[in-house]
Amino acid sequence: MIILKNKEEIELMRQSALLVSKTLCEAAKMLRPGITSLTIDKMIGEFIYDHKAVPSFLNYRGYPFNSCISVNDVVVHGFPNNDALKEGDIVSIDIGVILNEWHGDHAYTFAIGDPGEELAQLIRATKESLYKGIEKAVAGNRVGDISFAIQEHTEKKYGYGVVRELVGHGVGKSLHEDPQVPNYGKRGSGPKMREGLVLAIEPMINLGTRKVYTEEDGWTVRTEDHKPSVHFEHDVCVKKGKADILSNYAPIEAAEKANANLFSDYYRQVVL
Ligand code: CO
């Protein structure tokens, strides 16, 4: 069942999405070689509680952490752990909150230092594909128009692997609502979208094979060939003419840019 949101509800959902954006920004500021994902996850939990919200992933179907932190060949649902991040790693941080009963759920993939040309392109293309999908999230279109746009910009254009087993979704008072939003599909297929539909659109794109498997822990999803994978996610409200992106990458990108300066040769020689 698809649940449409009214104007007031959309504004509340924007607050939830923006709290996730702010939390991702704080996480971005911590990223550097030597830090562990568990340290970041602890900060994420504290930051969310400090803002009168609850980390929604914690205990969701038994999920044991505040956030999902997925490094390199981990596609999504990575457990934060005590391994030090190192230069060249790529790190997806996925955060959910419940604020005033409404869910925010979004994600960003960062590089630690310089990941190299091949990975930089994978990251850029995946982020671009998210925006290509969002362009199609307008009233009157169908969900398959979003799916098709993402697949075109990743699989068709670059030969990347588009994960089939995991999909985007509606979001609202529940973390996962109808409809499902696959990152592959046919133009003009799927449910028709109406104003007030809020979607979490989340391309999960692999450098190599699209095939993935889930580890013994029941959560960690990895690529079968152990090549890296990238994940970006926005919360988006369907509107007439142009989608309304509820989450905001601007503060996250500002923190990312500041980090890039930290990784300059100067920083490497003088500070580290
Ligand atoms: Co999601």
Side-chain angles (χ1 to χ4, degrees), residues 94 105 169 176 200 202 233:
D94 190 353
D105 168 26
H169 51 93
H176 296 134
E202 48 180 322
E233 180 176 21

Side-chain angles (χ1 to χ4, degrees), residues 36-44 57-58 63-71 74 77-83 85 91-94 217 219-220:
T36 73
S37 49
L38 199 55
T39 305
I40 297 169
D41 182 75
K42 291 217 168 78
M43 179 285 296
I44 287 170
F57 296 174
L58 184 64
Y63 186 78
F65 295 95
N66 299 312
S67 63
C68 302
I69 304 188
S70 305
V71 181
V74 179
H77 304 166
F79 283 2
N81 62 34
N82 277 314
D83 298 342
L85 295 175
V91 186
S92 147
I93 306 182
D94 190 353
D217 62 21
W219 284 99
T220 311

